[in-house]
Amino acid sequence: MTTQEQDHAGAGAAQAQELDVFAQLCPSRAVFAELADKWSMLILMGLDEFGPQRFSELQRGVDGVSRKMLTQSLRSLERNGLVRRTVYPETPPRVVYDLLPLGRELAALVSPVGRWTEERTGQMLAAREEFDRAHADG
């Protein structure tokens, strides 16, 4: 192996070591934390299921999200290359949010988790009740 090949292999190993969501200072952990935010996941799932939407449609679809949190989450998703914000030059201006390819890829992974959660919530609530009874006055 040449010195250049060794340097390249070493750089690849260093990069692989850098990108470890379990490592406290890894940049991928910060990105993961942003993506794991409940509002971001619900927005991705909503855009995946219902397609491009205006801000007000997203806010109605993601029940309980405030304007501020929806704005912050959309901005973060846009910044991370997951969502596209398109402004149409109309009066008043129309703004539409849609998934970019990375966003579609992530939504395809997250949406089944959302469905699984809906299907298994009854079991988890029963487990919570059982746990709480077993640990009451303990």
Side-chain angles (χ1 to χ4, degrees):
M1 185 181 282
T2 67
T3 304
Q4 187 177 13
E5 289 172 331
Q6 288 174 342
D7 289 344
H8 182 69
Q15 185 180 17
Q17 189 175 17
E18 276 183 41
L19 300 179
D20 176 1
V21 295
F22 294 102
Q24 181 178 0
L25 300 177
C26 179
S28 63
R29 183 182 278 191
V31 171
F32 184 82
E34 281 183 42
L35 296 176
D37 169 76
K38 71 177 175 181
W39 299 122
S40 296
M41 292 291 99
L42 291 170
I43 292 165
L44 286 172
M45 289 168 48
L47 289 171
D48 183 49
E49 186 169 339
F50 302 110
Q53 296 176 60
R54 296 176 76 161
F55 186 92
S56 58
E57 293 171 310
L58 278 167
Q59 191 171 24
R60 281 191 301 275
V62 181
D63 192 26
V65 66
S66 68
R67 290 184 65 81
K68 178 183 176 185
M69 287 309 303
L70 182 56
T71 299
Q72 287 176 0
S73 297
L74 284 167
R75 190 166 290 139
S76 173
L77 291 168
E78 185 180 3
R79 183 172 180 242
N80 284 309
L82 302 169
V83 169
R84 171 182 38 235
R85 179 181 186 266
T86 304
V87 180
Y88 293 93
E90 302 170 355
T91 306
R94 181 171 52 106
V95 179
V96 175
Y97 296 90
D98 192 13
L99 293 175
L100 289 167
L102 273 178
R104 277 192 285 283
E105 185 180 339
L106 181 55
L109 297 169
V110 172
S111 292
V113 175
R115 286 189 295 279
W116 180 90
T117 302
E118 291 170 341
E119 293 168 4
R120 300 292 186 235
T121 294
Q123 290 171 270
M124 289 185 280
L125 292 175
R128 284 182 186 181
E129 288 177 18
E130 185 178 325
F131 179 91
D132 291 347
R133 276 194 305 276
H135 293 85
D137 301 324

